[in-house]
């Protein structure tokens, strides 16, 4: 029995291939890595996520649209931009899903981000929506705070004519 085991072991050792030299292994690893990199599709852009969100919103897939708008906003912020289109889209999805308070919070956050970089027209447009959404959600104090900031922007005369027309059309007596 011992002879049989030694014979089998020696036959197996004789048929094994020697390991590849280290240089060849390294070359194969680099080659396989570059082949993988070449086949990797490019990462989706902000525009890709916005388009996917619009399609999902049009199809009534609010959860998908919300996710895509959130991703687009995050990518925009990572690039150093204020995510204007993504945040307005997200507020639209939230409002359509009857999350008025969350939509108001989204618009307030956009107003803050726009104000931080002195984009007063975007800040005012976001405040107009935030005020309306807060009132609709019964959040009177938040609406009042937004109204105070919007009044200050109007008094400072830093808004474009288009933004002033939008404000006047929304708050006619």
């Amino acid at each position: 029995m011992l002879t049989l085991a030694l014979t089998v072991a020696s036959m197996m050792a004789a048929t094994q291939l020697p390991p590849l030299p280290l240089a060849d292994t390294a070359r194969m690893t680099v080659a396989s890595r570059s082949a993988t990199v070449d086949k990797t599709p490019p990462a989706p852009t902000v525009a890709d996520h916005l388009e996917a969100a619009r399609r999902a919103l049009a199809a009534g897939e609010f959860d998908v649209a919300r996710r895509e708008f959130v991703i687009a906003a995050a990518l925009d912020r990572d690039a150093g931009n204020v995510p204007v289109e993504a945040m307005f889209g997200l507020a639209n999805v939230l409002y359509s899903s009857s999350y008025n308070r969350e939509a108001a919070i989204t618009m307030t956050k956009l107003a803050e981000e726009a104000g931080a970089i002195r984009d007063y027209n975007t800040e005012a447009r976001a405040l107009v929506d935030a005020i309306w959404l807060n009132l609709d959600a019964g959040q009177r104090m938040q609406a009042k705070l937004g109204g105070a900031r919007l009044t200050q922007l109007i008094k400072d005369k830093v808004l474009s004519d288009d933004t002033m027309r939008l404000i006047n059309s929304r708050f006619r007596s």
Side-chain angles (χ1 to χ4, degrees), residues 34 39 62 78 96 121 123 157:
S34 65
K39 294 179 184 178
F62 296 131
D78 287 349
S96 297
N121 289 298
E123 180 183 7
K157 299 183 190 274

Side-chain angles (χ1 to χ4, degrees), residues 26-83:
R27 190 170 352 117
M28 288 175 61
T29 305
V30 170
S32 64
R33 282 186 193 155
S34 65
T36 304
V37 171
D38 294 341
K39 294 179 184 178
T40 304
T45 64
V46 172
D48 295 334
H49 286 288
L50 288 173
E51 181 59 32
R54 284 188 218 102
R55 281 194 314 267
L57 185 58
E61 297 171 345
F62 296 131
D63 289 339
V64 174
R66 183 172 67 190
R67 182 188 70 228
E68 292 296 327
F69 279 127
V70 167
I71 293 169
L75 290 174
D76 242 356
R77 283 187 188 103
D78 287 349
N81 302 317
V82 175

Side-chain angles (χ1 to χ4, degrees), residues 74-150:
L75 290 174
D76 242 356
R77 283 187 188 103
D78 287 349
N81 302 317
V82 175
V84 177
E85 190 174 352
M87 294 295 274
F88 274 109
L90 178 58
N92 186 17
V93 169
L94 290 169
Y95 179 73
S96 297
S97 300
S98 298
Y99 293 114
N100 300 4
R101 191 169 136 233
E102 290 79 359
I105 291 168
T106 300
M107 287 292 88
T108 301
K109 182 169 177 51
L110 175 59
E112 291 168 357
E113 289 181 56
I117 64 163
R118 299 175 191 227
D119 182 354
Y120 299 121
N121 289 298
T122 299
E123 180 183 7
R125 288 184 6 236
L127 283 171
V128 167
D129 286 350
I131 292 166
W132 186 89
L133 288 162
N134 276 314
L135 288 172
D136 195 50
Q139 305 290 319
R140 293 180 144 316
M141 183 55 73
Q142 287 85 350
K144 188 174 182 178
L145 291 172
R149 176 61 182 149
L150 185 59

